[in-house]
Amino acid sequence: MCIATKQQHYNSKKNGVMVAAAAPSGLRPMLPLILYGYAFNTALYFSVKALLPQTGWDFTVDPTHCPEDNPSCTRTDLAAFQIVALVNLTYLGLLGVYSYYISNKGVKHGIPNTPQGRIFGHLLEADYVNVGIVVFQGWDFVASIFFEEHCTMIMMTHHLLAFICGLYSLEYGIRYSQQIGRQISTGV
């Protein structure tokens, strides 16, 4: 049995607050959000890709990034891909700021500032961050297969490892590993 799933409490020596063990699995309750996230990213991508040519902006790129039979191609697909990435990273950034600085249930107030609190304390905001990582990295992995610029071994490995880290954090309740996932997803 994984230590994170044991039903026990950890006593914080610093302020005497009892920290409940992490939920047995955060993945199952968050699965609908993950699926909605994939659907949202896909719908946003195709909507932006369809609407960009109507804006009148010139998306003509360097001919080295175009097929040989169309040297003056436009890359609305790549622009739409980057807009989806911007939306996902903005969500993760705003959620991080909210949960750390604004929320009374967040990192500063929701768990004791001890190793036990940081590892085994349950924060709903941590689950939402991990959902964002799983959605963004999973979608980005699949989408990158279709973009030659992004389909490199280093980027595909990056997406896969960040995705696995987010899944692991949700499934086993080790919330501290969300920081690893956040570092992987931001490239730090």
Side-chain angles (χ1 to χ4, degrees):
M1 178 180 232
C2 179
I3 193 168
T5 61
K6 289 183 181 177
Q7 294 300 316
Q8 56 185 346
H9 289 37
Y10 299 93
N11 189 6
S12 169
K13 302 287 186 199
K14 185 173 183 179
N15 59 8
V17 174
M18 296 299 284
V19 178
S25 172
L27 181 59
R28 194 163 292 172
M30 295 294 173
L31 194 56
L33 287 177
I34 293 171
L35 296 176
Y36 289 140
Y38 289 137
F40 173 79
N41 281 351
T42 304
L44 179 63
Y45 170 79
F46 284 113
S47 298
V48 170
K49 185 179 177 201
L51 293 174
L52 280 177
Q54 298 172 9
T55 63
W57 294 342
D58 184 20
F59 288 98
T60 305
V61 296
D62 184 6
T64 59
H65 296 291
C66 294
E68 291 179 12
D69 60 343
N70 185 9
S72 62
C73 70
T74 60
R75 293 301 307 266
T76 55
D77 58 340
L78 189 57
F81 179 86
Q82 295 300 334
I83 289 171
V84 172
L86 175 68
V87 168
N88 282 264
L89 290 172
T90 301
Y91 165 78
L92 286 169
L94 291 175
L95 180 60
V97 168
Y98 170 77
S99 65
Y100 193 81
Y101 293 107
I102 299 169
S103 173
N104 288 333
K105 301 175 291 183
V107 176
K108 288 184 173 181
H109 306 289
I111 57 173
N113 191 19
T114 63
Q116 292 89 354
R118 287 190 298 272
I119 293 174
F120 298 112
H122 180 262
L123 287 175
L124 189 58
E125 288 89 350
D127 284 343
Y128 289 140
V129 168
N130 286 316
V131 165
I133 290 170
V134 168
V135 168
F136 179 45
Q137 297 301 331
W139 188 87
D140 214 2
F141 180 86
V142 173
S144 292
I145 293 170
F146 302 101
F147 294 95
E148 184 179 339
E149 300 87 355
H150 295 279
C151 193
T152 62
M153 184 58 75
I154 189 82
M155 288 309 297
M156 298 307 274
T157 303
H158 153 84
H159 295 313
L160 182 64
L161 291 177
F163 175 81
I164 290 170
C165 188
L167 275 181
Y168 182 84
S169 296
L170 278 172
E171 177 62 27
Y172 295 108
I174 306 294
R175 306 301 183 239
Y176 193 74
S177 61
Q178 78 167 346
Q179 294 177 7
I180 297 168
R182 192 177 310 133
Q183 289 172 352
I184 290 172
S185 69
T186 59
V188 174

